[in-house]
Coordinates of all heavy atoms in Angstrom, one line a residue:
N309 N 144.4 149.2 59.3 CA 145.5 150.3 59.2 C 146.4 150.4 60.4 O 147.5 150.4 60.3 CB 144.9 151.6 58.9 CG 144.6 151.8 57.4 OD1 145.2 151.2 56.5 ND2 143.7 152.7 57.1
Y310 N 145.7 150.2 61.6 CA 146.4 150.3 62.9 C 147.3 149.1 63.0 O 148.5 149.2 63.5 CB 145.4 150.4 64.1 CG 146.1 150.5 65.4 CD1 146.7 151.6 65.8 CD2 146.2 149.4 66.2 CE1 147.4 151.7 66.9 CE2 146.9 149.5 67.4 CZ 147.4 150.6 67.8 OH 148.2 150.7 69.0
T311 N 146.8 147.9 62.6 CA 147.7 146.7 62.8 C 148.8 146.7 61.7 O 149.9 146.2 62.0 CB 146.9 145.4 62.6 OG1 146.2 145.4 61.3 CG2 145.8 145.3 63.6
A312 N 148.5 147.4 60.6 CA 149.6 147.4 59.5 C 150.7 148.5 59.8 O 151.8 148.3 59.6 CB 149.0 147.6 58.2
T313 N 150.2 149.6 60.3 CA 151.1 150.8 60.4 C 151.4 151.1 61.9 O 152.4 151.9 62.2 CB 150.6 152.0 59.8 OG1 149.4 152.4 60.5 CG2 150.2 151.8 58.3
G314 N 150.6 150.7 62.9 CA 150.8 151.0 64.3 C 150.3 152.4 64.6 O 150.4 152.9 65.8
K315 N 149.6 153.1 63.6 CA 149.0 154.4 63.8 C 147.6 154.4 63.4 O 147.1 153.6 62.6 CB 149.7 155.5 63.0 CG 151.2 155.7 63.5 CD 151.8 156.7 62.6 CE 152.3 156.2 61.3 NZ 152.9 157.0 60.3
L316 N 146.7 155.3 64.0 CA 145.3 155.4 63.6 C 145.4 156.4 62.4 O 145.7 157.5 62.6 CB 144.4 156.0 64.8 CG 144.1 155.0 65.8 CD1 143.4 155.6 66.9 CD2 143.3 153.8 65.3
V317 N 145.1 155.8 61.2 CA 145.1 156.7 60.0 C 143.6 157.0 59.7 O 142.9 156.2 59.1 CB 145.8 155.9 58.9 CG1 145.8 156.8 57.6 CG2 147.1 155.3 59.4
L318 N 143.2 158.2 60.1 CA 141.8 158.6 59.9 C 141.4 158.9 58.4 O 140.4 158.3 57.9 CB 141.5 159.8 60.7 CG 140.0 160.3 60.7 CD1 139.0 159.2 61.2 CD2 139.8 161.6 61.4
F319 N 142.1 159.7 57.8 CA 141.6 160.1 56.4 C 141.8 159.1 55.4 O 140.9 158.9 54.5 CB 142.3 161.4 56.0 CG 142.0 162.6 56.8 CD1 142.9 163.2 57.8 CD2 140.7 163.2 56.7 CE1 142.5 164.2 58.5 CE2 140.4 164.2 57.5 CZ 141.1 164.8 58.4
E320 N 142.8 158.3 55.4 CA 143.0 157.2 54.5 C 141.9 156.1 54.7 O 141.3 155.6 53.8 CB 144.4 156.6 54.6 CG 144.6 155.5 53.6 CD 146.0 154.9 53.7 OE1 146.9 155.7 53.7 OE2 146.1 153.7 53.6
S321 N 141.6 155.9 56.0 CA 140.5 154.9 56.4 C 139.2 155.5 55.9 O 138.3 154.7 55.4 CB 140.5 154.8 57.9 OG 141.7 154.3 58.4
L322 N 139.0 156.8 56.0 CA 137.7 157.4 55.5 C 137.6 157.3 54.0 O 136.5 156.9 53.5 CB 137.6 158.8 56.0 CG 136.3 159.5 55.7 CD1 135.2 158.8 56.4 CD2 136.4 160.9 56.1
E323 N 138.7 157.5 53.3 CA 138.6 157.3 51.9 C 138.3 155.9 51.4 O 137.5 155.7 50.5 CB 139.9 157.7 51.2 CG 140.3 159.2 51.2 CD 141.7 159.4 50.7 OE1 142.2 158.6 49.9 OE2 142.2 160.5 51.0
I324 N 138.9 155.0 52.0 CA 138.7 153.6 51.8 C 137.3 153.2 52.1 O 136.6 152.5 51.3 CB 139.7 152.7 52.5 CG1 141.1 152.9 52.0 CG2 139.3 151.2 52.4 CD1 142.2 152.2 52.8
T325 N 136.8 153.7 53.2 CA 135.4 153.3 53.6 C 134.4 153.9 52.7 O 133.4 153.2 52.3 CB 135.1 153.9 55.0 OG1 136.1 153.3 56.0 CG2 133.7 153.7 55.5
L326 N 134.6 155.2 52.3 CA 133.6 155.8 51.3 C 133.6 155.0 49.9 O 132.6 154.9 49.3 CB 133.9 157.3 51.2 CG 133.6 158.1 52.4 CD1 134.0 159.5 52.2 CD2 132.1 158.0 52.8
T327 N 134.8 154.7 49.5 CA 134.9 153.9 48.3 C 134.2 152.6 48.3 O 133.4 152.2 47.4 CB 136.4 153.6 47.9 OG1 137.1 154.9 47.9 CG2 136.6 152.9 46.6
I328 N 134.3 151.9 49.4 CA 133.6 150.5 49.6 C 132.2 150.8 49.7 O 131.3 150.1 49.0 CB 134.1 149.9 50.9 CG1 135.6 149.4 50.8 CG2 133.2 148.7 51.2 CD1 136.1 149.0 52.0
M329 N 131.7 151.8 50.4 CA 130.3 152.1 50.5 C 129.6 152.5 49.3 O 128.5 152.2 48.9 CB 130.0 153.1 51.6 CG 130.4 152.6 53.0 SD 129.5 151.1 53.5 CE 127.9 151.6 53.5
G330 N 130.3 153.4 48.5 CA 129.8 153.9 47.2 C 129.7 152.8 46.3 O 128.7 152.6 45.5
G331 N 130.7 151.9 46.2 CA 130.6 150.7 45.4 C 129.5 149.8 45.7 O 128.8 149.3 44.9

Side-chain angles (χ1 to χ4, degrees):
N309 277 334
Y310 182 76
T311 57
T313 64
K315 296 182 274 182
L316 287 175
V317 184
L318 179 64
F319 292 109
E320 184 177 313
S321 299
L322 186 60
E323 287 177 20
I324 294 168
T325 300
L326 292 177
T327 302
I328 292 169
M329 294 303 298

